[in-house]
Amino acid sequence: MEPLDVKNYRSLLKKYIDSEDETSLYQADQFSKLSIQQNISPEEIINVHIQALQELYPNLPKEIDLSMNFLLETMISYGLAYQEFQSLREKQGEIESELSVAANMQDTLLSTTKPEISGFDIGAISVPAHQMNGDYHHFVIDSSKNLGIAIADVIGKGVPAALAMSMIKYSLDSFPDSLRTPDVILENLNRVVERNVDTSMFITMFYGLLNPESGLLQFSSAGHEPGFYYCAKSDEFHEIKTKGIVLGVSESATYEQFDIQMEVGDMVVLLTDGVTECRVGDRFIEPDEMLDVIRKYMHLPAQEAVDLVYRHFERLQDFHLRDDFTLIFLKK
Amino acid sequence: MKTKSQVQINKEWDIVGARQMGRELAKEMGFGTVDQARIATAISELARNIYLYADKGAVTFEIEEDLNKKGLKIIASDQGPGIADLSKVMEDGYSTSGGLGAGLPGVKRLMDYFDIVSEPESGTTITTIKWVR
């Protein structure tokens, strides 16, 4: 069907007026969809209607003609609004594709490889709520074969948060091996953030350094969401207690260092608040509920376990994350 | 030869006068019903901008005749405050979000040719043309 063909429209209209059948109305429906596809504005459709009407009934009262013209006038602005809407929709598409390029670039910039360390099993998952991720995690092995684990969260979401994270990553990479104890790393990062990031943006970070030989995990935290330590012997989870101010608030902040001696069967759980502040309906889940979920899957290989925990919470939140979600299991 | 006519815009009623003159010219020139309505809407928009933001100005009509085409040229000019950021007012969704009407992007869509010159403190001139199809 040619959409704006007066002849077609006229015969369709005539058929309907003669028979009042549903088929013609269905064809009118198709006609209107086709017109939308071809960017035909409402006033043009009314114009076709006016022409068809005049050809079918040349002797219609003048009042009808005038009223149709009146209708046409009132539709002009609707047509414009519709065209504007179309162009805004195109623009939105462009912005979205630009964002997805940025998100891909972020993935590349912030990519980290999960290391294979004998005696340990590591699982990590990080899923952004929107296109850009404001969470960050990173694994690094230093010259003495110690494993450094960083997990961080920018308070604030979206593009600015993601940009801040790139800075954190490159600062971390630039610190020499000699400065790699958690307290010193956070102290140095704090200065970088304080100098370079807007005062309204805060970054929390947990940094851990594991000696795979001895099983000793040293760590410091800059106001980061506390993780959990699973002790196999007592079959209990303990919150990993730390203290330290978030990065970027005070130029001279220092960070205390703590340690845990990991035994076989023990597990360290690191996370961001996207995990702990998972919402079910109107309420946040309780820490015990979260630990129950972790416990349910923790016997599995670490990567499979974090994936399944994520799936569980994703479903619980109707597949719509409200905050970036990052979860790391470190099992001995 | 160019035919010229002009409507001064000082009060809201003058918008109707400008529409009226534009429509009559359009009708005489052989524009169809839809284009007449589009031209009138564009004039409304231009004249209302003068009335709202510049207090005083004028809408001028000229008949453009080329070798093979004929068009209605509408020039809206004012001595108002001018527009500081032209790219902003030409952006979709800028003026319409407040329900103020089609805005200048709307005028551009309604017409075939659109040009705007604006100097802060000295005024704005918008030139548009619609060709008879």
Side-chain angles (χ1 to χ4, degrees):
Chain A
M1 191 193 320
E2 277 292 308
L4 254 201
D5 190 311
V6 181
K7 240 163 74 190
N8 271 328
Y9 187 88
R10 191 181 58 205
S11 58
L12 205 59
L13 182 64
K14 176 92 174 92
K15 201 173 137 225
Y16 175 67
I17 290 174
D18 291 343
S19 63
E20 291 180 51
D21 67 339
E22 196 61 37
T23 314
S24 313
L25 290 181
Y26 173 67
Q27 280 170 320
D29 172 35
Q30 299 294 95
F31 177 90
S32 113
K33 281 174 186 145
L34 211 60
S35 303
I36 287 174
Q37 267 177 25
Q38 308 205 354
N39 285 325
I40 309 275
S41 56
E43 71 268 20
E44 286 174 81
I45 295 195
I46 291 173
N47 190 44
V48 169
H49 183 82
I50 293 173
Q51 286 177 46
L53 207 59
Q54 283 166 349
E55 285 166 22
L56 286 172
Y57 310 101
N59 300 319
L60 276 184
K62 194 178 168 222
E63 288 84 352
I64 300 283
D65 276 351
L66 287 175
S67 82
M68 292 310 291
N69 285 343
F70 193 84
L71 177 63
L72 189 146
E73 291 281 332
T74 58
M75 281 301 131
I76 297 274
S77 288
Y78 275 94
L80 279 180
Y82 176 70
Q83 283 178 36
E84 185 186 27
F85 167 77
Q86 291 286 55
S87 102
L88 287 173
R89 197 156 71 172
E90 271 166 33
K91 212 184 270 176
Q92 188 192 359
E94 283 165 24
I95 293 170
E96 268 167 18
S97 72
E98 218 168 280
L99 254 188
S100 87
V101 171
N104 279 336
M105 193 161 160
Q106 188 198 19
D107 281 348
T108 316
L109 283 174
L110 300 187
S111 67
T112 186
T113 322
K114 207 180 56 179
E116 298 291 333
I117 292 178
S118 79
F120 285 87
D121 181 15
I122 301 169
I125 185 168
S126 185
V127 184
H130 304 294
Q131 285 203 10
M132 305 285 275
N133 202 339
D135 283 359
Y136 167 67
H137 71 284
H138 192 59
F139 299 104
V140 61
I141 293 180
D142 69 14
S143 52
S144 342
K145 298 261 180 336
N146 292 318
L147 169 68
I149 306 175
I151 180 165
D153 183 0
V154 183
I155 310 301
K157 280 200 202 70
V159 179
L163 290 174
M165 273 313 166
S166 305
M167 187 187 72
I168 291 286
K169 182 201 163 151
Y170 286 97
S171 309
L172 266 180
D173 281 351
S174 69
F175 297 147
D177 269 8
S178 56
L179 291 181
R180 289 215 166 263
T181 57
D183 53 347
V184 175
I185 283 183
L186 289 187
E187 208 180 303
N188 282 310
L189 271 184
N190 176 63
R191 271 199 295 274
V192 172
V193 174
E194 205 272 334
R195 277 181 212 155
N196 297 292
V197 177
D198 188 85
T199 48
S200 64
M201 200 184 290
F202 302 109
I203 298 170
T204 71
M205 179 181 270
F206 175 98
Y207 197 92
L209 190 67
L210 175 75
N211 180 332
E213 294 276 314
S214 64
L216 182 74
L217 177 73
Q218 299 170 291
F219 55 90
S220 296
S221 169
H224 194 75
E225 185 70 26
F228 293 89
Y229 182 71
Y230 173 75
C231 174
K233 202 168 152 194
S234 61
D235 190 26
E236 277 172 348
F237 280 99
H238 304 280
E239 193 178 285
I240 298 177
K241 294 221 159 44
T242 54
K243 55 180 181 186
I245 189 168
V246 298
L247 301 176
V249 174
S250 151
E251 196 194 347
S252 55
T254 54
Y255 295 88
E256 207 174 322
Q257 190 165 297
F258 304 84
D259 52 55
I260 290 173
Q261 180 61 50
M262 291 185 78
E263 305 296 341
V264 173
D266 288 359
M267 179 173 79
V268 169
V269 177
L270 301 177
L271 37 73
T272 56
D273 57 8
V275 182
T276 47
E277 290 174 10
C278 164
R279 250 180 242 242
V280 187
D282 291 335
R283 68 176 185 93
F284 290 120
I285 56 157
E286 299 291 332
D288 284 347
E289 288 177 81
M290 183 193 67
L291 291 176
D292 285 347
V293 177
I294 290 175
R295 189 182 277 274
K296 186 173 158 195
Y297 296 111
M298 69 184 187
H299 64 280
L300 296 165
Q303 189 57 48
E304 205 180 323
V306 291
D307 288 345
L308 286 169
V309 171
Y310 167 69
R311 293 248 191 85
H312 179 97
F313 285 124
E314 185 191 30
R315 232 181 99 191
L316 212 59
Q317 301 186 92
D318 290 330
F319 304 96
H320 180 81
L321 292 189
R322 284 166 186 84
D323 199 357
D324 306 328
F325 181 109
T326 302
L327 181 65
I328 298 175
F329 284 180
L330 174 66
K331 288 166 78 172
K332 185 175 161 74
Chain B
M1 195 198 97
K2 280 182 181 172
T3 319
K4 242 184 173 179
S5 34
Q6 194 175 60
V7 177
Q8 297 293 327
I9 308 293
N10 300 318
K11 49 191 193 297
E12 195 173 7
W13 276 115
D14 296 332
I15 300 172
V16 177
R19 283 179 63 113
Q20 179 91 42
M21 183 174 286
R23 189 186 299 273
E24 272 162 20
L25 280 168
K27 212 180 273 183
E28 279 170 31
M29 290 173 69
F31 280 101
T33 330
V34 180
D35 279 348
Q36 284 176 37
R38 284 179 180 149
I39 289 167
T41 306
I43 294 167
S44 265
E45 210 62 45
L46 294 171
R48 198 161 58 223
N49 278 344
I50 295 174
Y51 167 71
L52 288 176
Y53 305 114
D55 281 342
K56 278 188 172 92
V59 178
T60 309
F61 301 94
E62 284 175 20
I63 294 171
E64 283 279 306
E65 264 173 298
D66 247 351
L67 278 177
N68 47 10
K69 56 185 178 180
K70 199 164 137 186
L72 179 59
K73 186 193 248 183
I74 302 164
I75 303 156
S77 57
D78 67 57
Q79 288 76 50
I83 301 164
D85 191 347
L86 281 179
S87 64
K88 193 124 213 169
V89 297
M90 291 311 293
E91 218 170 76
D92 273 320
Y94 177 70
S95 63
T96 46
S97 52
L100 295 174
L104 294 182
V107 175
K108 194 176 175 181
R109 287 202 175 94
L110 291 164
M111 304 296 283
D112 296 323
Y113 170 88
F114 181 96
D115 185 41
I116 178 166
V117 178
S118 188
E119 290 292 329
E121 304 310 318
S122 67
T124 303
T125 301
I126 297 172
T127 307
T128 66
I129 302 174
K130 188 86 179 164
W131 300 107
V132 182
R133 279 188 292 180

